[in-house]
Amino acid sequence: MNRTFSPSQRVALFLRSHGCCSLCGCGLNPAKWHADHIVPFALGGPTELWNGQALCISCNLSKSMNIDLEPILPPGLVLRPWQKEVLTMAFEDADGQPLGLIRQAIHQANTPAEAERIPYVLNAFPGTGKTKACFTAAKFLLSHNVVETVIYLVPSDNLRKGAVDESEYFAMPLRAGKRSAEFDFTYQKGVVLSYHQVGIPAYRNLLEHYCKERRVMVIADEMHHLGDNMTWGDGYRKCFSQALVKLMTTGTPFRSDGGIIPGVRYRDCAGRNMQEVVCHFSYDYGQALNDAAVRPVDFTPYVGTVSWRSRKDGEEYAHGIEENLREVYPSPEHDLQKVKGLQSDRRWHVFDTPRDNPDAKYLVEQLAKADDVLKSLRACSHPWAGGLIVARDTDHANEIGGLLETITGQEPAVVHQKISGNAQSQLKLFQGKPEYGYNRDLSRPRWLVSVGMVSEGVDIPFLRVLVWATNISAPLSFYQIVGRVLRKEKGVGFQDAMVFIPKEPGWWELAESMRSATAEYRIKQDRDIGSAGGTSGKHLEREGLGSEGESDGSLLHDGTGSHLISEEERKKAEKWALKYGRSPGDIHQMWLRGGDTQEERKRSWEELIEDFMSDNEEAS
């Protein structure tokens, strides 16, 4: 029986007999490409065998490279400027690697299987929208048949549902991978797995085989976790060595413990004894702040004294929170390990509760002050705003829950893995995204107390106040935890975040870059306006003797960037901030904008108050 073939089919048959992309020479395996995935690219006139280039979809896209994202975006979603830039830009690095995510993905797809496919590394500050950028790229590559399947990897089981919800929002539904490896990977558009699952031998064999047989895009979200566990890193390397497209994301492109993330390039961190990942695209807190992608953050630092008795040597110690213990105990007179132990002790005991020691005052005062701030925000501009307290372990979280109920008169939601069957239901009282709806019920608890479950990937946009009550000191964890209160919420005018934290040198050093970015942002606002008009477990070798402290207020500045202001000005800023549901930094800058002299500022203060009241009425 004779059969008539269309020009596309004739070109595809020619391609089948001569190899994939015979004229463009990309070297892809013909077995992975089918007739309906081949584009006949005409050299001129009707497409025939004599004038047609047989191109796979990715090579054709490379040739035309018209990246139109609008048709694939969910209704109502408007990408932020940085997301458009990372997805579509055409620049290349010194090695000729495309810096745009989609172009680099197509570059990977055109790389022969025997050559190394360098993963695209996206570094975006927590809360700025890197997940949406990833799903936009995946949807584009799926819709243009560059890839057939998406495998999305997350660091923990409790983050899988969030990724599945996001995929459904983009109309490219992925299946939440079960704990067992017995399911069909062709289900819908792909699957969401945890790094732990990738380390399971049954999964390893299945994924490795799957990447050989299909055109797979793998997205490793929060990639720094691949260095946590050698099994995870080895599993990822083995499973996805032949994945057609690899994308890795992070909000913290370094590991202070020296763990190696597979497949990425490293360079030394300037001024630090660690290495950071070489990223194709980076978007830091300062950039996000200027783009209004995240909230400005005010750190309320506390200073005071922490006392404890070490059960190791029986000695009693008392040190200021802000003291540099390496200067107090210099080497070689004092052993470096001992100094590190004292630093660890101080980080632990500063958050003692009265159950730990009757003289522990710091945390009680901190919780009371933080709740006053949160109530002020809810009364003035953000009625459903919530607060987060991150505790040092599960027992500590339970103690803080009881203490907070005593102080505030309201039981908080306590969320950790040891709450049998109740942790996820408590978390659901808070969790959600504007696209899917989230809980604005005013009867919902004001406070959420957790240890590790409210971390990266958990999106609670109305969290505005953070109380740091954990002894964790790793830079990666610091930025992830602070990032929980930086996500912006639509429809809320004033959105500064407040973080209550001891002015301990290690933590304060990590806060410096964010404090500087916030100060620069506010100074820029002033100029623009002027021109216009923990870890879990018990420490059995230590006994806390007490802690006390008070607010430092040193984020406030004098308008030039200096953080030197009078005590009277600081107290005035805190008083008005509490009254009008603003941060002290914002109040202080509003005061400075009133004029060049104290008299001018006093005269304009009434107008500023009217602005506050007007903003609050609109928000209500």
Side-chain angles (χ1 to χ4, degrees):
M1 180 178 66
N2 294 327
R3 181 178 176 186
T4 302
F5 295 99
S6 68
S8 176
Q9 290 172 320
R10 289 156 63 190
V11 173
L13 288 172
F14 174 80
L15 176 68
R16 289 279 182 86
S17 62
H18 289 80
C20 183
C21 288
S22 59
L23 296 181
C24 69
C26 75
L28 291 174
N29 179 3
K32 286 191 177 183
W33 298 89
H34 307 288
D36 56 347
H37 295 141
I38 303 304
V39 175
F41 189 88
L43 297 176
T47 302
E48 297 292 345
L49 288 180
W50 68 270
N51 75 338
Q53 283 188 345
L55 303 181
C56 66
I57 289 289
S58 61
C59 289
N60 185 55
L61 279 173
S62 296
K63 203 170 189 68
S64 60
M65 203 53 73
N66 178 25
I67 300 177
D68 183 9
L69 300 177
E70 291 302 321
I72 64 169
L73 293 177
L77 175 61
V78 178
L79 292 177
R80 292 169 176 164
W82 82 264
Q83 293 168 322
K84 291 181 180 178
E85 182 182 2
V86 70
L87 289 165
T88 62
M89 69 176 175
F91 299 111
E92 296 181 349
D93 64 15
D95 297 327
Q97 290 282 318
L99 295 175
L101 199 167
I102 290 176
R103 283 178 169 83
Q104 214 268 357
I106 295 170
H107 177 80
Q108 290 184 51
N110 288 336
T111 301
E114 62 272 12
E116 180 185 9
R117 292 194 178 104
I118 298 175
Y120 188 94
V121 179
L122 169 61
N123 168 34
F125 193 82
T128 56
K130 61 179 178 292
T131 302
K132 283 187 171 53
C134 290
F135 275 102
T136 301
K139 181 70 176 292
F140 182 91
L141 297 173
L142 280 169
S143 63
H144 287 81
N145 291 319
V146 176
V147 299
E148 294 175 276
T149 304
V150 174
I151 298 178
Y152 198 94
L153 306 178
V154 293
S156 60
D157 286 342
N158 64 308
L159 298 182
R160 285 186 297 170
K161 186 180 185 305
V164 170
D165 289 343
E166 194 77 45
S167 72
E168 292 175 349
Y169 173 61
F170 273 83
M172 46 167 284
L174 305 180
R175 176 175 181 169
K178 300 178 181 178
R179 293 185 179 274
S180 138
E182 298 176 359
F183 64 88
D184 183 4
F185 276 91
T186 61
Y187 180 90
Q188 296 180 323
K189 296 295 183 180
V191 66
V192 181
L193 300 172
S194 69
Y195 290 131
H196 170 73
Q197 289 174 302
V198 172
I200 297 173
Y203 270 117
R204 286 193 188 186
N205 297 332
L206 191 57
L207 289 168
E208 186 178 12
H209 172 76
Y210 197 56
C211 288
K212 289 179 181 178
E213 297 299 318
R214 297 177 66 83
R215 290 174 282 118
V216 172
M217 177 184 190
V218 57
I219 302 174
D221 194 18
E222 306 296 358
M223 66 183 190
H224 43 266
H225 286 280
L226 288 172
D228 286 343
N229 186 311
M230 189 173 294
T231 303
W232 293 3
D234 288 346
Y236 173 85
R237 187 182 294 107
K238 180 178 175 63
C239 291
F240 301 109
S241 63
Q242 296 193 50
L244 195 66
V245 175
K246 302 175 187 178
L247 167 61
M248 307 181 86
T249 78
T250 184
T252 45
F254 52 80
R255 291 189 57 83
S256 54
D257 63 359
I260 300 299
I261 302 168
V264 301
R265 296 172 290 174
Y266 282 91
R267 64 185 169 209
D268 293 333
C269 282
R272 293 191 179 185
N273 186 27
M274 65 175 72
Q275 289 190 318
E276 65 179 1
V277 175
V278 177
C279 302
H280 290 82
F281 187 93
S282 292
Y283 187 67
D284 62 23
Y285 176 67
Q287 293 170 299
L289 194 57
N290 287 326
D291 290 345
V294 293
R295 294 171 177 147
V297 58
D298 272 337
F299 288 90
T300 301
Y302 274 70
V303 296
T305 302
V306 183
S307 306
W308 72 94
R309 178 184 292 109
S310 172
R311 294 184 181 181
K312 181 175 285 188
D313 57 18
E315 295 288 330
E316 292 187 6
Y317 295 91
H319 288 290
I321 293 173
E322 74 281 7
E323 278 187 278
N324 187 333
L325 297 186
R326 293 192 179 186
E327 294 177 358
V328 178
Y329 301 96
S331 59
E333 297 93 327
H334 299 277
D335 180 67
L336 181 60
Q337 291 303 316
K338 176 181 178 179
V339 177
K340 289 182 177 180
L342 292 176
Q343 290 173 327
S344 177
D345 286 347
R346 182 174 60 183
R347 290 188 185 118
W348 180 269
H349 288 297
V350 67
F351 300 120
D352 280 352
T353 69
R355 295 183 187 181
D356 298 316
N357 188 286
D359 295 324
K361 302 176 182 178
Y362 165 76
L363 189 57
V364 175
E365 295 173 358
Q366 190 178 40
L367 293 176
K369 180 68 178 292
D371 189 59
D372 284 343
V373 169
L374 181 56
K375 286 189 294 186
S376 175
L377 291 174
R378 289 168 68 96
C380 294
S381 59
H382 201 171
W384 56 88
L388 171 66
I389 303 169
V390 180
R392 63 194 184 196
D393 60 25
T394 55
D395 291 336
H396 192 231
N398 292 336
E399 290 179 13
I400 288 176
L403 185 61
L404 198 61
E405 185 176 4
T406 301
I407 293 171
T408 67
Q410 184 186 80
E411 182 181 2
V414 180
V415 176
H416 55 70
Q417 298 289 5
K418 289 188 178 179
I419 301 180
S420 178
N422 194 38
Q424 289 295 340
S425 63
Q426 286 288 301
L427 190 56
K428 285 179 181 178
L429 292 176
F430 288 78
Q431 200 169 2
K433 295 187 178 183
E435 301 92 300
Y436 321 129
Y438 49 78
N439 188 355
R440 292 184 173 183
D441 187 350
L442 301 187
S443 66
R444 188 204 68 240
R446 293 195 295 272
W447 285 99
L448 176 61
V449 184
S450 184
V451 180
M453 288 184 67
V454 184
S455 58
E456 58 198 354
V458 177
D459 193 358
I460 308 176
F462 49 77
L463 289 181
R464 292 281 302 278
V465 182
L466 169 67
V467 176
W468 184 279
T470 175
N471 60 317
I472 290 174
S473 59
L476 188 153
S477 299
F478 178 88
Y479 293 120
Q480 290 289 352
I481 291 172
V482 173
R484 295 317 97 194
V485 294
L486 300 184
R487 282 163 162 74
K488 296 196 75 171
E489 182 178 3
K490 293 180 180 179
V492 179
F494 170 76
Q495 291 203 48
D496 279 20
M498 295 284 290
V499 177
F500 290 81
I501 190 169
K503 200 177 180 181
E504 192 273 339
W507 293 324
W508 205 240
E509 180 184 354
L510 296 173
E512 281 292 347
S513 62
M514 298 182 69
R515 295 173 63 244
S516 298
T518 300
E520 290 173 8
Y521 168 75
R522 290 207 170 109
I523 292 171
K524 182 177 181 296
Q525 280 187 317
D526 295 340
R527 290 171 180 164
D528 291 345
I529 291 172
S531 63
T535 55
S536 340
K538 291 180 177 285
H539 289 245
L540 300 178
E541 298 179 342
R542 303 182 286 220
E543 179 184 350
L545 299 178
S547 61
E548 58 184 5
E550 61 181 14
S551 174
D552 183 333
S554 62
L555 180 65
L556 308 184
H557 60 82
D558 63 3
T560 65
S562 170
H563 293 280
L564 300 175
I565 68 168
S566 69
E567 182 69 8
E568 179 184 358
E569 288 176 307
R570 179 181 70 80
K571 288 183 177 179
K572 183 188 296 183
E574 290 186 347
K575 172 186 173 183
W576 287 104
L578 202 59
K579 182 173 182 179
Y580 289 103
R582 300 267 177 161
S583 69
D586 190 63
I587 288 287
H588 187 61
Q589 287 311 103
M590 294 290 283
W591 170 263
L592 294 178
R593 294 168 194 158
D596 295 327
T597 66
Q598 292 293 93
E599 289 74 19
E600 290 175 347
R601 291 167 183 170
K602 288 179 181 177
R603 284 196 299 268
S604 65
W605 187 247
E606 289 185 4
E607 296 178 7
L608 297 178
I609 297 303
E610 290 179 5
D611 290 341
F612 287 153
M613 300 304 294
S614 175
D615 290 346
N616 293 341
E617 288 175 2
E618 290 179 5
S620 299

